[in-house]
Amino acid sequence: MDGDVDSDDDGDGNDNQPLLSLPNSLRHELKDPMGPVETDPGILLEAVDGPLIAVGDVVTYHLLEAGRAPDVALIDGYTKRETVDAEVERVVNDERPEGDHTTLEVANPPAVLTRPLLEALVEGLERPESVTIVVDGEEDLAVLPALLAAPEGASIVYGQPDVGMVHVTVDAETRASARGLLERFDGDVDRALALLEG
């Protein structure tokens, strides 16, 4: 990763301070799915052409069970604010196809995006092996930075509670939508975008 990304520009020495915070005025807009919703992971995977980023334990579990390890998976051990069951935990943490795999650990409290999470996302996408980012806190908002950091044509898959899996393809339209939402967050938007689009 670029050396400048690692510098602590805020001077307080605490990288886990929120870089961006979700304002209450945006919460309702993020409830609508950003792409088509699918309940069958096999059918969803037929539409995947390129890198695959999974946001959430249950989504990651279903993709692994369908035989496709995400290139980058973000998990936090919870679903709908409840601890995931033992089977999901076992599969997302232990069951990987043969080949290289890396685990990164970051802190990211609910309703915020920290610099370590954004950096881990960028690093995960740059690595040739599959990467699991284990989040201490909450990974839900990672969908938006993933849409900016992932290459054109990549697939972002995340869970829509009690509905299914949302499949968003990275293109100019979905990038613009994600960027427009992030620009309305509280915090250092310019710094966050520089990390993701740099």
Side-chain angles (χ1 to χ4, degrees):
M1 288 179 50
D2 186 84
D4 293 338
V5 170
D6 294 328
S7 64
D8 188 2
D9 295 341
D10 56 20
D12 64 7
N14 187 351
D15 284 346
N16 294 327
Q17 287 296 314
L19 192 55
L20 296 176
S21 299
L22 176 66
N24 286 332
S25 60
L26 263 185
R27 288 180 185 270
H28 69 284
E29 292 185 46
L30 296 182
K31 292 187 185 300
D32 294 330
M34 298 183 71
V37 179
E38 182 54 68
T39 56
D40 184 324
I43 293 174
L44 184 150
L45 286 168
E46 289 175 5
V48 171
D49 181 22
L52 176 63
I53 299 95
V55 180
D57 297 66
V58 175
V59 165
T60 301
Y61 168 81
H62 285 303
L63 295 172
L64 284 167
E65 288 291 282
R68 174 69 152 90
D71 296 280
V72 178
L74 295 100
I75 60 173
D76 64 7
Y78 289 85
T79 181
K80 296 191 285 188
R81 306 195 190 287
E82 300 286 337
T83 305
V84 297
D85 66 39
E87 171 70 2
V88 171
E89 182 181 17
R90 180 185 66 79
V91 170
V92 301
N93 285 293
D94 300 329
E95 292 207 357
R96 297 286 163 179
E98 289 186 22
D100 291 336
H101 177 260
T102 296
T103 299
L104 304 174
E105 296 183 3
V106 298
N108 193 83
V112 306
L113 290 166
T114 59
R115 190 176 74 176
L117 176 67
L118 301 187
E119 290 179 332
L121 185 55
V122 171
E123 179 181 347
L125 288 162
E126 290 174 346
R127 285 178 174 263
E129 73 274 19
S130 66
V131 173
T132 299
I133 300 171
V134 179
V135 179
D136 178 9
E138 196 172 276
E139 89 296 77
D140 298 17
L141 293 177
V143 173
L144 297 176
L147 281 163
L148 295 186
E152 188 91 2
S155 291
I156 318 286
V157 181
Y158 67 95
Q160 189 80 1
D162 303 315
V163 178
M165 296 171 286
V166 182
H167 178 201
V168 191
T169 303
V170 179
D171 59 24
E173 183 179 351
T174 54
R175 275 192 210 278
S177 177
R179 195 178 206 280
L181 289 167
L182 286 173
E183 286 173 341
R184 294 162 61 193
F185 275 54
D186 297 325
D188 194 341
V189 173
D190 289 343
R191 188 176 176 199
L193 293 178
L195 283 172
L196 297 167
E197 300 176 332

